Amino acid sequence: MIDRHLSWLSFNHRVLQEASDLRHPVLERLRFLAIFSSNLDEFFRVRVPAIHALGDRSLLQAIRKEVDRQQRQLGRLYLKEILPALRSYGIAFVNDAELDDEQIAAARQYWRSGLAGRIEPFFIEANGPAPFLHNRQLYLVVALATEEPSHRYAIVEVPTQQEPRFVEVPGRGRRRYFVFLDDIVRLCLPELFPGSRIAGAYAVKLSRDAELHIEDEFSGDLLEKIREGLKRRKTGTPSRFLYDPQIPQACLGLLRERLGLHVEGLIPGWRYHNFSDFVDFANPGIDGLEYESLTPLRRHTLDTSASLFDAIDEGDSILHYPYHSYHYVIRFVNEAANDPAVTSIDITLYRVAPNSQTVRALVDAARNGKKVTAFVEMKARFDEEANFFWADELHNAGARVVYSLPGVKVHCKLCLVARSAAGAQKLYGYLSTGNFNERTARVYSDHGLFTGDPRITHEARKVFDYLAGERYPGRFDHLLVAPFNMRQRFTAMLDEEIRNAQAGKRAYVILKLNNLEDPAMIQKLCEAADAGVEIHLMVRSICCLPPVRGAGTRPIQVISIVDRFLEHGRVYIFHNGGDEQYFIGSADWMTRNFNRRVEVAFPIFQEKVRSEIRAIIDIELRDNVKARILDVELSNRFRPCDRPIRSQVEFYSLLQR
């Protein structure tokens, strides 16, 4: 199969392609550079340390070669395309050597007004203590000229945690000027090292292993082990050292020795690192720099009901984010919190917004006497500390908080409300492909279903009972739940398509995934394709599907759509002899999702919802503007385009109609 790490790098190259697309406003292109940089940081924190541990030097070399190529492309894009485009809108980024006298005075004033007090140099000596570099923190290595042939070196932290990365300085005419914080520090180094001659200053950045390294999740206090792992993460093993190529080799060698760096982890960058900071570069009030905010669409059937519970009683409703308003999810939890007929609320929380309205509503529900049970996944990478905070908030409000299960992550997105009406209890569910996170719902493309269908809600109840440790779930007839029946059910549905194709009947499978990596499921897809089943795949990120060998004509079509919004929803459609089966859910086709996560894919029963999903999928399958063809060469070729179809634009128009 195609190596998953190289396939992921190919996905990140698709992000970089978006930065070069002139159809995006220039500030959006700059943000794609920021996303590319942030993605790469996480890759070196999460994936590369594991490859180092395996000792796969050939793969490390292949990764380095591809990363070097992409880094050079990023530099060219920024210098040759993005900066000139920004200048055409009256925005200029200048370095310390390009400042005029007035701008220099302003930069020095900024330094003296507080920045200088945040900086303390650390001298690097061959026999002295080693400097400690924080993960992702920017530093300047300063070369100080001495009477000896070699320079003396000091390291200076650029305090971007306390100061903005980009500082505006006086303009010229109608043009706005900005300077990197790094360059203000460079400019003022003589004040930091009085009496010394500055021979050079070179940007460096270290990435550290982010793995918590919990060896045994089944014995002892798992929460305490997670807390200890979070402390260790801050001092994790270095996995990448990004440096300015102009740095003297003697200095680089000294840093490598003092920091204990692998040769494979030394990655040449550029004068500036942490392009991810550009995601926070705000539009200074200039029209045309960025997309206008998308106006979230409303659902008439939900708006015209006095209660969402009444609307759900009338039938299932599906929402598609960010095109639809996420307000309905917040309203659902708030109504449950304040409805006297509601007795309990169960929910899974994986990643929530910084000031989560969902959790605030759950807190209100607990204080109102509802039985609130929240399963909070404490192993959600990089959200662990935030989840500890929200878990404490819920616990203090009187909610029952259930924490991580040993050996698995709970990744499903479920909320279940029990409500008494006419002397009987009814369950209302909200099941989604995306997190309960109103912030990411503005930029992630996801699907969420409101339903009162007992075939779904009663089995969702079984999932929550299992998570709470109350009983083993037993059999699921409708939901696909990992690690219990999901792999087996998907395999059985593929086998049915194979039998139909072999019998001369039409057979097809349509899958929309973030990642396709599981060897057994890939083998089954190949088996189905070889039997004549039409396979249509949309895979956003990792796709390990092997190439067709020999004279094979395996009819597998694979595209990847990368555009303004992050494609995050998972959709699974099987022809099933003409009686199509539709599922949506939280699971990719990766070994970890099938074996080591609690995932839920749920069926779509109502025809009106099926028709809506199918219309959306058909638009995406026809995309010829943002769809790339995924091939063994990892070329990221765009589809031929006669009449442009940009699925995210067409999708929004469809929902408006």
Side-chain angles (χ1 to χ4, degrees):
M1 298 197 302
I2 295 172
D3 180 80
R4 62 169 291 175
H5 305 93
L6 298 180
S7 179
W8 183 90
L9 286 173
S10 182
F11 156 68
N12 212 31
H13 177 252
R14 296 193 284 278
V15 176
L16 198 56
Q17 285 178 321
E18 292 303 299
S20 66
D21 190 338
L22 298 177
R23 286 169 292 211
H24 291 303
V26 62
L27 202 54
E28 306 291 350
R29 295 171 64 193
L30 188 62
R31 288 168 183 158
F32 275 114
L33 289 186
I35 295 167
F36 169 86
S37 176
S38 178
N39 287 349
L40 201 58
D41 280 341
E42 184 170 333
F43 178 75
F44 273 94
R45 295 197 68 196
V46 175
R47 299 308 316 170
V48 170
I51 303 170
H52 271 295
L54 293 173
D56 193 337
R57 296 182 66 86
S58 62
L59 179 56
L60 288 169
Q61 290 170 357
I63 288 171
R64 173 168 178 159
K65 180 180 179 182
E66 178 59 19
V67 169
D68 284 349
R69 185 184 73 83
Q70 293 182 11
Q71 291 274 95
R72 289 194 298 272
Q73 184 177 351
L74 179 146
R76 288 193 301 270
L77 269 172
Y78 178 73
L79 288 172
K80 303 296 185 182
E81 297 186 25
I82 303 295
L83 288 184
L86 286 170
R87 281 182 174 271
S88 72
Y89 279 91
I91 296 175
F93 280 88
V94 289
N95 63 40
D96 52 305
E98 297 170 329
L99 300 173
D100 63 22
D101 290 344
E102 184 182 10
Q103 292 167 338
I104 289 174
R108 292 191 187 281
Q109 176 58 33
Y110 189 90
W111 165 267
R112 292 164 184 161
S113 65
L115 178 59
R118 301 188 187 278
I119 295 177
E120 183 174 344
F122 184 99
F123 287 93
I124 309 169
E125 308 289 355
N127 298 316
F132 179 81
L133 304 190
H134 294 278
N135 177 68
R136 286 195 73 250
Q137 181 59 52
L138 288 174
Y139 296 90
L140 293 178
V141 178
V142 183
L144 303 171
T146 66
E147 296 180 358
E148 303 296 327
S150 60
H151 296 315
R152 190 182 186 195
Y153 299 106
I155 195 159
V156 171
E157 181 177 321
V158 181
T160 52
Q161 303 299 318
Q162 298 85 27
E163 300 283 346
R165 181 75 189 282
F166 313 106
V167 179
E168 187 168 8
V169 292
R172 302 168 191 160
R174 303 178 70 176
R175 179 165 287 174
R176 308 279 291 272
Y177 282 78
F178 295 86
V179 60
F180 282 79
L181 188 67
D182 333 11
D183 283 329
I184 293 181
V185 176
R186 282 188 173 96
L187 177 72
C188 299
L189 285 174
E191 296 187 29
L192 191 63
F193 299 98
S196 298
R197 183 171 68 84
I198 309 299
Y202 313 97
V204 299
K205 182 182 84 169
L206 188 71
S207 298
R208 293 186 177 275
D209 182 1
E211 184 56 58
L212 296 182
H213 295 290
I214 301 172
E215 294 184 2
D216 179 10
E217 296 187 11
F218 293 89
S219 62
D221 187 335
L222 179 56
L223 289 185
E224 186 58 32
K225 290 181 179 182
I226 293 172
R227 288 190 175 96
E228 291 300 316
L230 291 172
K231 294 176 184 176
R232 290 194 301 270
R233 177 185 281 171
K234 296 175 182 178
T235 59
T237 303
S239 58
R240 176 181 63 159
F241 185 72
L242 201 60
Y243 63 90
D244 184 337
Q246 301 301 315
I247 195 170
Q249 286 301 306
C251 180
L252 186 60
L254 177 63
L255 288 168
R256 181 191 164 198
E257 187 274 326
R258 301 304 292 129
L259 297 173
L261 305 173
H262 295 284
V263 174
E264 295 88 351
L266 301 177
I267 307 293
W270 190 45
R271 175 186 174 92
Y272 304 108
H273 306 317
N274 274 8
F275 268 53
S276 55
D277 289 338
F278 275 118
V279 78
D280 296 320
F281 181 73
N283 185 344
I286 300 173
D287 292 338
L289 270 183
E290 59 188 337
Y291 286 118
E292 293 184 4
S293 297
L294 190 77
T295 301
L297 302 174
R298 311 291 300 184
R299 271 289 191 206
H300 177 74
T301 54
L302 300 180
D303 286 337
T304 54
S305 295
S307 163
L308 279 182
F309 300 114
D310 293 340
I312 297 169
D313 284 336
E314 295 298 318
D316 292 356
S317 289
I318 193 167
L319 298 172
H320 313 283
Y321 313 111
Y323 314 100
H324 281 128
S325 172
Y326 196 75
H327 157 78
Y328 298 107
V329 179
I330 307 300
R331 178 184 164 191
F332 180 66
V333 184
N334 272 319
E335 281 192 22
N338 294 290
D339 186 339
V342 167
T343 56
S344 67
I345 305 171
D346 293 80
I347 195 168
T348 59
L349 299 176
Y350 193 78
R351 301 187 196 278
V352 299
N355 187 23
S356 174
Q357 296 180 58
T358 304
V359 179
R360 298 296 182 200
L362 294 169
V363 166
D364 290 343
R367 289 172 176 166
N368 289 342
K370 313 298 182 189
K371 180 185 176 183
V372 176
T373 303
F375 186 95
V376 184
E377 180 51 77
M378 311 309 290
K379 292 178 286 185
R381 186 178 286 120
F382 303 129
D383 279 75
E384 301 96 341
E385 293 183 7
N387 286 357
F388 271 112
F389 170 81
W390 290 118
D392 288 344
E393 290 283 295
L394 287 164
H395 175 76
N396 292 337
R400 179 189 182 191
V401 179
V402 182
Y403 299 96
S404 294
L405 300 177
V408 295
K409 283 186 181 180
V410 177
H411 190 247
C412 54
K413 326 296 182 184
L414 309 175
C415 181
L416 196 63
V417 173
R419 186 170 183 264
S420 297
Q425 185 184 79
K426 181 170 181 178
L427 297 175
Y428 296 83
Y430 174 78
L431 302 88
S432 180
T433 66
N435 292 302
F436 290 93
N437 189 317
E438 56 270 25
R439 186 175 70 172
T440 57
R442 296 196 295 265
V443 291
Y444 283 23
S445 175
D446 273 305
H447 313 284
L449 180 74
F450 288 111
T451 184
D453 191 318
R455 291 171 291 183
I456 294 176
T457 58
H458 288 181
E459 292 197 352
R461 174 75 270 159
K462 292 167 69 175
V463 174
F464 279 112
D465 288 345
Y466 162 71
L467 295 179
E470 295 176 2
R471 62 177 64 89
Y472 193 79
R475 175 174 170 172
F476 292 99
D477 293 317
H478 305 291
L479 298 186
L480 312 184
V481 183
F484 301 106
N485 71 339
M486 181 176 283
R487 181 189 292 276
Q488 295 85 346
R489 289 285 304 279
F490 276 137
T491 301
M493 285 185 273
L494 286 170
D495 282 336
E496 180 65 19
E497 298 300 326
I498 291 171
R499 285 190 290 270
N500 288 338
Q502 291 171 338
K505 301 177 183 178
R506 189 179 184 194
Y508 62 71
V509 175
I510 302 172
L511 301 176
K512 181 180 178 182
L513 305 166
N514 292 353
N515 301 291
L516 174 60
E517 172 268 350
D518 182 77
M521 298 308 294
I522 288 175
Q523 180 61 35
K524 182 59 68 172
L525 284 172
C526 293
E527 180 186 339
D530 289 337
V533 179
E534 300 172 37
I535 308 289
H536 302 274
L537 303 178
M538 290 179 283
V539 184
R540 188 197 73 206
S541 301
I542 296 170
C543 183
C544 299
L545 189 76
V548 176
R549 302 189 185 280
T553 56
R554 184 187 304 145
I556 297 183
Q557 302 177 36
V558 192
I559 62 172
S560 176
I561 297 172
V562 179
D563 199 353
R564 177 182 178 184
F565 305 117
L566 181 76
E567 295 292 341
H568 191 255
R570 289 85 162 181
V571 180
Y572 327 88
I573 302 174
F574 299 84
H575 183 253
N576 192 38
D579 183 16
E580 286 185 319
Q581 294 176 299
Y582 284 73
F583 294 86
I584 61 177
S586 58
D588 285 316
W589 280 22
M590 302 182 77
T591 301
R592 70 182 187 189
N593 298 93
F594 288 124
N595 297 355
R596 301 188 299 277
R597 288 191 173 186
V598 177
E599 305 275 12
V600 172
F602 44 96
I604 303 299
F605 290 124
Q606 294 194 359
E607 185 56 38
K608 65 173 184 176
V609 181
R610 288 180 171 219
S611 298
E612 191 169 309
I613 292 173
R614 186 54 188 261
I616 291 163
I617 291 296
D618 285 346
I619 289 172
E620 292 177 325
L621 288 172
R622 297 198 309 272
D623 191 304
N624 57 16
V625 174
K626 292 299 183 181
R628 283 75 154 180
I629 298 170
L630 299 192
D631 54 31
V632 68
E633 291 83 14
L634 305 178
S635 62
N636 288 328
R637 291 180 294 116
F638 285 89
R639 273 179 159 176
C641 178
D642 295 325
R643 186 182 72 83
I645 300 174
R646 186 174 174 182
S647 58
Q648 291 188 355
V649 174
E650 297 287 337
F651 186 4
Y652 186 62
S653 297
L654 171 70
L655 294 176
Q656 283 181 309
R657 295 194 300 270

